[in-house]
């Protein structure tokens, strides 16, 4: 009897230790026109950071800064379909694809792999009508994530790299804010997984071997890794950082096109990159400075001051940043400081 | 499905909307942010988001991206969206869809701009108040009403107070009416920038730094501002010391400027009452700063100023050397001021019966110290022909009633 109970206990332990059964991916839900209330219904994830079979993790050379959150990125391409290399370094993901990004924090950033709590998972779904962006927020127990189209603020604490406790009001974006960053012209588009930012010498090749990507990838440019000096010069890494963190709005077609400040990778080094560019409709965002970038003078460059600010109305990016990215600010500071004062035709 | 419906709705504008119209009523109280934002997301074309009377304490910016939606309050003093506790976003309310009507509510103390609409064609702002309640301060948001990159913009019966840049600002847009509105205690009362085809009429601009500004700036997607009429406005006692953050173009506007035209073409200023502006009543100037943009024309040209009723002006000119200049001219600075850049070819017609002066500056960017002031002399070329009245689509006028 006692032995039987012990066996029962053991088998119960085994059951509870067993991972959740692999979900079945619901292609009909992905392709439909509903806004499912529960993330689980898609069957894309086992939990916030574990993909279902058929969903592939990927990483970016230079990621968007998101208040020091750890991020887990996955892509799902429906069976029998493949993405194609498109012009301009973009990847054309087929209808039925889903880009998935989970955000979470470890207790201590110095041990980023320990005990990560996932807060939210954002889906970018390619439907026949276009891309749809949906934010899901995980319950505190991490068992269920529900749709929050109006967004949510979450109080988050962690031990920072310097050993100090950080507490912020973390903002899950609402559906409009998703579009606010992901819009190009009138269409929602993916931002992160551009070919140059995926190009680490392995990822694109692996996608091709798996039959998930078609087209020429040889000779593609590669975005440097913003914090790896071996991957590029300060200037190259700074431009990569601005490309990833700013240019989804600050480009000729983006939500910040009317500012005339365009920070994408291909932007020539002229006034529209910020060199000796005066503020436009910036209000107090100019923080009393004359130029977005004054070459050689980071402390007189409002682009840098806005990155270092937490004040709404001044802080850039406007969304998704409740902390200053000190390491990113340091990189841009060095880039501006290194510029020769005659780097642009001074007007 | 929904998307196709929205596109169809955008094409036929407000006309089909009534068949589907629903009213989403939102009251102030706990979770106002989430409830109101959810309504702005869930609304369908033709719906009305009805805001009850009271004060909504908001924690983040709001946004609307559904075409054909009306957001309507109980009145600009009854329904108040307060952004004093705003934690993020560049504006209080952001509209990015077409055929939207905003009316009968107030936005207070936004941390950035009050209401911004971008790429939002056929937008109506009616009976809206935007105010920074602490009075003029450099830490106030930049713009009260901020439509940009849009076609067909109607602002009617708005009141804006305290903007650290412009109270009512229309940028990089075309076909614009700003009327029956009041701008007070802003740096710029009403500003039309890098825009085409605008009527600014029947407004009151008072106690701003500058009353009504018609500007054009370089290095922007849309530039070459032209065809602007400023008429039947009262531009009185713009006397608030300039509190714009340095670096912004309006930080260079002298306190006490009535109407200021900079680097635009074909601007008509007529039938206004312009008085008690300490620097000058009407100022016509070139863009002052250096620039590197081969497509940009910095000169104000084809300008007509006529039939305006002038009160006192120039009793406190607030630009460097202004006091000395006023002294040399007999104590006050003239009511009409042109920097002279562009000369005869600029075709600047100052036809009012008020003292007028030209600085006779030769080139854009010359300092005022290079001026050779002399009484203004009319150019030989005829004044530019009258511009047609700006007309909005009928549905917009109907929505503004």
């Amino acid at each position: 009897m006692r032995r039987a109970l012990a066996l029962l206990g053991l088998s119960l332990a085994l059951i509870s230790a067993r991972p959740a059964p692999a979900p079945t991916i619901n292609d009909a839900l992905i392709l439909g026109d509903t806004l499912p209330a529960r993330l689980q219904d898609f069957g894309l994830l086992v939990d916030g950071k574990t993909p279902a079979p058929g969903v592939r993790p990927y990483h970016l050379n230079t990621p968007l800064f998101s208040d020091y959150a750890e991020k887990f990125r996955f892509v799902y391409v429906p069976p029998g379909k493949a993405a194609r290399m498109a012009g301009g370094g973009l990847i054309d993901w087929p209808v039925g694809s889903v880009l998935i990004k989970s955000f979470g924090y470890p207790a201590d950033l110095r041990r980023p792999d320990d005990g990560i709590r996932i807060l939210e998972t954002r889906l970018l779904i390619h439907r026949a009508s276009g891309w749809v962006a949906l934010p899901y927020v995980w319950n505190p127990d991490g068992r269920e994530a529900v749709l929050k189209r109006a967004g949510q603020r979450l109080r988050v604490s962690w031990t920072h790299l310097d050993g100090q406790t950080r507490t912020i009001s973390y903002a899950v974006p609402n559906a409009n804010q998703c579009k606010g960053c992901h819009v190009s012209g009138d269409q929602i588009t993916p931002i992160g997984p551009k070919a140059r930012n995926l190009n680490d010498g392995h990822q694109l090749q692996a996608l091709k071997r798996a039959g998930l990507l078609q087209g020429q990838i040889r000779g593609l440019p590669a975005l440097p890794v913003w914090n790896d000096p071996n991957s590029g010069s300060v200037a190259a890494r700074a431009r990569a950082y601005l490309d990833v963190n700013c240019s989804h709005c600050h480009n000729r077609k983006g939500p910040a096109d009317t500012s005339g400040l365009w920070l994408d990778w291909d932007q020539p080094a002229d006034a529209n990159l910020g060199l000796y560019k005066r503020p436009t409709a910036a209000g107090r965002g100019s923080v009393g400075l004359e130029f977005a970038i004054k070459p050689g003078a980071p402390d007189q460059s409002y682009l840098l001051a806005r990155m270092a600010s937490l004040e709404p109305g001044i802080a850039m990016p406007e969304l998704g940043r409740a902390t200053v990215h000190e390491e990113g600010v340091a990189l841009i500071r060095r880039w501006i400081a290194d510029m020769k004062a005659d780097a642009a035709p001074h007007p | 499905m929904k998307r196709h419906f929205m596109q169809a709705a955008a094409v036929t504008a407000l006309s089909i909307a009534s068949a589907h119209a629903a009213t989403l009523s939102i009251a102030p109280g706990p979770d106002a942010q989430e409830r109101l934002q959810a309504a702005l997301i869930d609304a369908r074309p033709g719906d009305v988001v009805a805001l009850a009377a009271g004060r909504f304490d908001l924690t983040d910016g709001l946004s609307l991206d559904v075409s054909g939606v009306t957001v309507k309050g109980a009145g600009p003093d009854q329904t108040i969206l307060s952004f004093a506790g705003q934690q993020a976003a560049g504006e209080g309310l952001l509209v990015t869809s077409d055929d939207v009507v905003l009316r009968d509510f107030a936005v207070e103390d936004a941390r950035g701009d009050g209401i911004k609409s971008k790429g939002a064609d056929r937008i109506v702002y009616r009976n809206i108040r935007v105010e920074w309640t602490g009075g003029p301060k450099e830490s106030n948001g930049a713009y009260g009403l901020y439509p940009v990159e849009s076609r067909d913009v109607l602002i009617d019966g708005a009141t804006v107070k305290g903007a650290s840049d412009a109270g009512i600002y229309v940028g990089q847009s075309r076909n614009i009416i700003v009327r029956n509105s009041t701008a007070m205690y802003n740096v710029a009362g009403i500003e039309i920038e890098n825009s085409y085809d605008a009527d600014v009429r029947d407004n009151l601009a008072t106690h701003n730094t500058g009353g009504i500004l018609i500007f054009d700036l370089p290095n922007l997607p849309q530039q070459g501002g032209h065809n602007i009429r400023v008429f039947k406005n009262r531009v009185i006692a713009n006397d608030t010391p300039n509190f714009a953050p340095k670096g912004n173009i309006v930080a260079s506007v002298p306190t006490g400027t009535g109407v200021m035209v900079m680097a635009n073409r074909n601007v008509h200023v007529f039938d206004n009452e312009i008085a008690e502006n300490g620097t000058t009543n009407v100022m016509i100037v070139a863009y002052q700063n250096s620039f590197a943009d081969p497509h940009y024309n910095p000169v104000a040209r084809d300008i007509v100023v006529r039939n305006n009723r002038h009160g006192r002006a120039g009793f406190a000119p607030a630009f460097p050397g202004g006091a000395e200049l006023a002294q040399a001219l007999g104590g006050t600075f003239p009511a009409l001021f042109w920097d002279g850049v562009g000369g005869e070819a600029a075709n600047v017609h100052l036809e009012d019966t008020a003292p007028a002066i030209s600085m006779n500056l030769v080139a854009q960017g010359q300092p005022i110290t290079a001026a050779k002031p002399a009484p203004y002399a009319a150019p030989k070329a005829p004044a530019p022909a009258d511009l047609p009245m700006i007309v909005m689509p009928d549905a917009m006028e109907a929505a503004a009633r």
Side-chain angles (χ1 to χ4, degrees):
Chain A
M1 185 64 193
R2 181 175 293 175
R3 195 167 153 215
L5 276 176
L7 274 174
L8 182 63
L10 183 63
S11 58
L12 281 174
L14 281 171
I15 287 165
S16 62
R18 214 170 62 194
T24 310
I25 295 171
N26 191 336
D27 287 299
L29 203 61
I30 290 169
L31 288 164
D33 62 0
T34 61
L35 306 172
R38 286 166 20 103
L39 178 64
Q40 283 84 336
D41 294 345
F42 288 100
L44 292 161
L45 298 178
V46 176
D47 61 38
K49 53 187 169 64
T50 313
V55 178
R56 295 175 69 95
Y58 68 91
H59 66 263
L60 301 173
N61 293 354
T62 289
L64 174 76
F65 173 70
S66 302
D67 280 334
Y68 291 101
E70 293 290 326
K71 295 191 270 189
F72 302 86
R73 299 175 185 81
F74 311 104
V75 60
Y76 170 66
V77 177
K81 293 202 177 179
R84 288 170 188 280
M85 294 301 302
L90 299 175
I91 295 176
D92 191 359
W93 302 95
V95 168
S97 297
V98 187
L99 296 164
I100 304 156
K101 185 154 69 163
S102 290
F103 297 69
Y105 287 86
D108 189 333
L109 270 191
R110 294 167 298 185
R111 294 193 304 279
D113 298 328
D114 277 5
I116 287 183
R117 186 188 145 212
I118 300 295
L119 301 174
E120 58 152 335
T121 297
R122 304 179 194 170
L123 301 188
L124 208 51
I125 305 175
H126 197 182
R127 289 176 162 167
S129 56
W131 290 91
V132 178
L134 297 176
Y136 290 87
V137 175
W138 288 87
N139 291 349
D141 64 8
R143 284 170 183 267
E144 187 176 66
V146 295
L147 181 63
K148 283 281 182 187
R149 292 185 78 212
Q152 194 172 11
R153 282 199 170 267
L154 304 167
R155 201 168 175 77
V156 177
S157 289
W158 70 89
T159 302
H160 199 62
L161 300 164
D162 57 9
Q164 303 289 309
T165 300
R166 292 274 183 105
T167 303
I168 63 166
S169 173
Y170 177 94
V172 177
N174 67 51
N176 288 347
Q177 292 169 330
C178 294
K179 186 178 171 188
C181 287
H182 281 274
V183 74
S184 178
D186 267 339
Q187 298 291 313
I188 291 181
T189 58
I191 302 170
K194 290 178 181 140
R196 60 174 175 259
N197 205 5
L198 287 168
N199 187 10
D200 62 353
H202 309 288
Q203 273 191 134
L204 294 170
Q205 289 79 354
L207 281 170
K208 272 200 92 163
R209 277 196 304 275
L212 296 174
L213 178 65
Q214 296 173 350
Q216 182 57 258
I217 59 171
R218 219 170 299 147
L220 275 179
L223 216 55
V225 178
W226 72 279
N227 59 351
D228 177 3
N230 294 322
S231 72
S233 63
V234 167
R237 289 184 288 122
R239 290 297 301 269
Y241 186 90
L242 296 176
D243 184 63
V244 170
N245 284 277
C246 315
S247 82
H248 45 273
C249 287
H250 281 281
N251 71 73
R252 280 163 198 272
K253 286 185 188 173
D257 60 343
T258 53
S259 69
L261 181 66
W262 303 324
L263 300 172
D264 44 295
W265 182 246
D266 300 320
Q267 176 62 39
D270 60 14
N272 292 117
L273 183 69
L275 305 178
Y276 298 110
K277 185 194 176 302
R278 296 177 190 278
T280 307
R284 63 202 190 100
S286 75
V287 293
L289 300 174
E290 282 191 271
F291 302 114
I293 295 174
K294 186 170 183 187
D299 289 322
Q300 293 171 63
S301 301
Y302 66 80
L303 178 145
L304 188 70
R306 300 189 74 166
M307 289 175 61
S309 172
L310 291 178
E311 278 275 303
I314 297 175
M316 283 284 164
E318 289 178 344
L319 302 173
R321 191 167 71 71
T323 54
V324 174
H325 189 203
E326 288 144 28
E327 299 79 6
V329 168
L331 174 67
I332 302 304
R333 167 177 289 281
R334 206 178 136 196
W335 174 55
I336 297 174
D338 286 353
M339 287 178 190
K340 292 201 175 64
D342 60 356
H346 191 298
Chain B
M1 179 63 198
K2 188 179 176 192
R3 184 170 197 94
H4 293 153
F5 173 69
M6 284 168 61
Q7 283 168 350
V11 170
T12 52
L14 301 166
S15 52
I16 66 153
S18 53
H20 302 272
T23 297
L24 290 72
S25 297
I26 308 293
D31 304 322
Q33 178 75 37
E34 190 172 346
R35 289 182 293 111
L36 178 47
Q37 183 59 64
L40 295 173
I41 290 171
D42 292 338
R44 308 283 298 245
D47 287 354
V48 175
V49 176
L51 308 174
R55 180 189 171 90
F56 293 73
D57 289 306
L58 300 159
T59 56
D60 277 287
L62 296 167
S63 55
L64 172 63
D65 189 42
V66 184
S67 291
V69 169
T70 295
V71 181
K72 188 179 189 318
D77 296 316
Q78 279 73 46
T79 297
I80 296 162
L81 306 183
S82 172
F83 291 90
Q86 183 179 359
Q87 296 177 52
E91 54 283 308
L93 171 62
L94 173 66
V95 177
T96 48
S97 46
D98 297 334
D99 300 297
V100 165
V101 177
L102 307 173
R103 59 178 302 162
D104 308 318
F105 64 88
V107 164
E108 289 185 353
D109 299 320
R111 304 294 302 274
D113 304 310
I115 306 177
K116 178 176 180 179
S117 53
K118 180 172 184 296
D121 293 343
R122 299 175 298 283
I123 188 162
V124 177
Y125 292 87
R126 174 80 176 99
N127 199 28
I128 294 283
R129 176 172 62 89
V130 177
E131 183 167 357
W132 283 271
T133 57
K137 278 187 201 160
E138 185 176 329
S139 57
N140 291 350
Y143 299 141
L145 302 182
Y146 178 12
V148 63
E149 207 173 53
S150 301
R151 177 184 275 270
D152 301 327
V153 174
L154 175 58
I155 296 174
D156 188 1
T159 300
V160 183
K161 297 180 186 176
S164 69
D165 198 302
I168 297 171
Y169 172 96
V170 184
Q172 301 182 55
S173 293
R174 64 192 311 163
N175 210 50
I176 299 148
I177 298 176
V178 178
R179 69 187 183 207
N180 307 325
S181 295
T182 299
M184 308 172 74
Y185 301 108
N186 309 288
V187 174
I190 299 169
E191 182 174 1
I192 308 293
E193 192 165 87
N194 291 57
S195 287
Y196 314 152
D197 306 313
D199 276 356
V200 178
R201 67 180 214 234
D202 297 298
N203 302 289
L204 170 63
T206 188
H207 299 309
N208 306 287
T209 300
I212 299 176
L213 276 44
I214 311 297
F215 278 17
D216 201 70
L217 301 178
N219 297 118
L220 295 177
Q222 176 172 313
Q223 54 196 44
H226 63 270
N227 294 5
I228 316 284
R229 303 195 305 169
V230 177
F231 61 102
K232 294 186 179 173
N233 301 285
R234 299 181 66 227
V235 186
I236 312 289
N238 289 287
D239 52 9
T240 296
N242 196 320
F243 60 101
K246 198 180 149 219
N248 291 288
I249 188 71
V250 297
S252 65
V253 174
T255 301
T257 299
V259 175
M260 182 169 174
V261 177
M262 188 185 79
N264 263 255
R265 175 172 64 77
N266 211 1
V267 180
H268 299 238
V269 180
F270 58 98
D271 295 346
N272 301 285
E273 181 185 346
I274 317 176
E276 295 298 316
N277 299 297
T279 289
T280 189
N281 277 347
V282 179
M283 181 186 294
I284 314 292
V285 293
Y287 179 69
Q288 283 285 305
N289 292 319
S290 47
F291 63 94
D293 180 347
H295 305 294
Y296 179 67
N297 188 336
V299 177
R301 60 236 187 258
D302 298 327
I303 311 290
V304 186
V305 179
R306 62 175 171 84
N307 286 351
N308 298 291
R309 292 189 306 285
H310 286 270
R312 207 160 67 105
F315 47 87
F319 57 88
E324 294 76 0
L325 203 50
Q327 207 63 45
L329 293 166
T332 59
F333 197 72
L336 302 166
F337 167 99
W338 175 36
D339 65 1
V341 175
E344 180 83 15
N347 202 29
V348 171
H349 291 259
L350 307 179
E351 299 177 357
D352 287 345
T353 53
I357 193 170
S358 167
M359 290 289 122
N360 286 312
L361 292 171
V362 180
Q364 178 274 342
Q366 276 188 307
I368 198 80
T369 49
K372 299 188 182 70
Y376 161 82
K380 293 183 190 73
D386 288 352
L387 289 166
M389 187 171 82
I390 301 296
V391 177
M392 290 292 145
D394 291 345
M396 291 177 68
E397 288 291 355
R401 271 180 213 122

